[in-house]
Amino acid sequence: MRLTVDLINLSLSYLNPLKERELDLRGHKIPAIENLGVAKDHDAIDLTDNDINSLSNFPLSPRLHSLYLARNRVAHIQPSLPSSIPNLTTLVLTANHIAELADLDSLSGFRKLTHLILMENPVSRKEIMGIKSRTFDLPSAGITDGTANGAATTSFGGKQYRVRMTEEEKRRVEELIRNAKSLQEITRLEKELAEGRIPGGVSGAGGGKRAKAAASGGDRMEE
């Protein structure tokens, strides 16, 4: 069934337990996203149990905070999606077809994304997914401008470490993480960042430069 204007207008719209205005589009076997311009006054859209294979074609929707797409066929995420949904905080993609970490690169543009669910996707069974996700470049789970002074914030084991880097150094770290091919590479990068060091090869010859680091919940400072 196509996602028509009539289907959207006839679908249930209600306040969910989070006091969000939610649009219920579950279980219609919708193959593609279209015509959502008429749903722009919603905070959340539930598209669970459909046949959507591409997360794309959203109109500008600054009010939209939550998207639920469990049990679809999503294998592709439109690179420009963050500009259409700039305030997205929750994205549920349980039981879809996301196969590679590179398929998630587009999500780095969601500066407010805090909840991403990828259970039962092929990518969740990758050997390095568990560690790589902690240093992947999503704002809530990796390298980001966490402070006004330009320090990057990275989370490890419940603690946050701040590593002062230039924009070029941050870009190089993100490339190293994205291109890592083994568990050992990810472990090394994680260890160096956790210790407050910029990974070798990022800052030129020698690498491994020690930066100022602070663990939240403690007073440790290193130079």
Side-chain angles (χ1 to χ4, degrees):
M1 179 183 295
R2 285 188 58 191
L3 182 55
T4 63
V5 172
D6 286 342
L7 176 59
I8 294 170
N9 287 335
L10 292 172
S11 295
L12 180 64
S13 177
Y14 62 98
L15 282 181
N16 66 23
L18 298 176
K19 305 299 183 184
E20 297 175 325
R21 173 60 61 180
E22 182 169 327
L23 178 63
D24 185 353
L25 292 169
R26 298 171 64 104
H28 294 292
K29 301 303 179 185
I30 297 166
I33 294 168
E34 55 185 332
N35 296 313
L36 280 181
V38 298
K40 62 182 179 180
D41 292 328
H42 288 83
D43 306 295
I45 298 178
D46 189 349
L47 286 156
T48 301
D49 290 319
N50 284 291
D51 289 332
I52 296 166
N53 58 30
S54 177
L55 193 53
S56 59
N57 201 30
F58 278 81
L60 180 61
S61 306
R63 181 172 170 175
L64 187 59
H65 292 161
S66 303
L67 272 177
Y68 306 105
L69 288 114
R71 297 184 296 279
N72 276 269
R73 300 180 180 181
V74 175
H76 169 261
I77 300 173
Q78 184 179 19
S80 62
L81 191 64
S83 63
S84 298
I85 319 174
N87 296 313
L88 190 70
T89 60
T90 300
L91 178 58
V92 177
L93 289 169
T94 303
N96 276 275
H97 295 173
I98 303 295
E100 302 292 339
L101 286 164
D103 296 332
L104 300 171
D105 283 354
S106 301
L107 300 184
S108 64
F110 286 112
R111 309 318 299 174
K112 298 183 180 181
L113 186 64
T114 57
H115 295 82
L116 172 64
I117 301 178
L118 293 167
M119 293 185 299
E120 301 179 46
N121 280 265
V123 71
S124 67
R125 294 188 287 273
K126 294 286 185 181
E127 178 188 13
I128 62 174
M129 179 62 179
I131 292 178
K132 192 163 185 174
S133 63
R134 282 184 284 169
T135 49
F136 196 55
D137 59 344
L138 291 178
S140 60
I143 300 166
T144 182
D145 288 330
T147 60
N149 62 11
T153 301
T154 311
S155 296
F156 299 97
K159 293 183 178 181
Q160 285 193 334
Y161 296 86
R162 291 176 180 174
V163 183
R164 191 180 302 276
M165 291 184 284
T166 66
E167 290 299 320
E168 178 62 19
E169 288 169 341
K170 285 189 287 185
R171 185 187 65 78
R172 290 179 183 175
V173 171
E174 290 170 0
E175 285 183 357
L176 287 175
I177 293 167
R178 186 176 295 111
N179 295 329
K181 301 299 183 183
S182 70
L183 188 64
Q184 289 75 18
E185 288 182 64
I186 293 297
T187 301
R188 177 183 63 81
L189 291 168
E190 182 184 52
K191 183 175 184 292
E192 290 182 339
L193 287 169
E195 291 174 350
R197 291 186 291 125
I198 297 175
V202 169
S203 300
K209 182 177 69 177
R210 181 168 294 279
K212 189 175 291 184
S216 63
D219 298 325
R220 182 171 63 85
M221 296 290 289
E222 295 180 331
E223 296 288 347

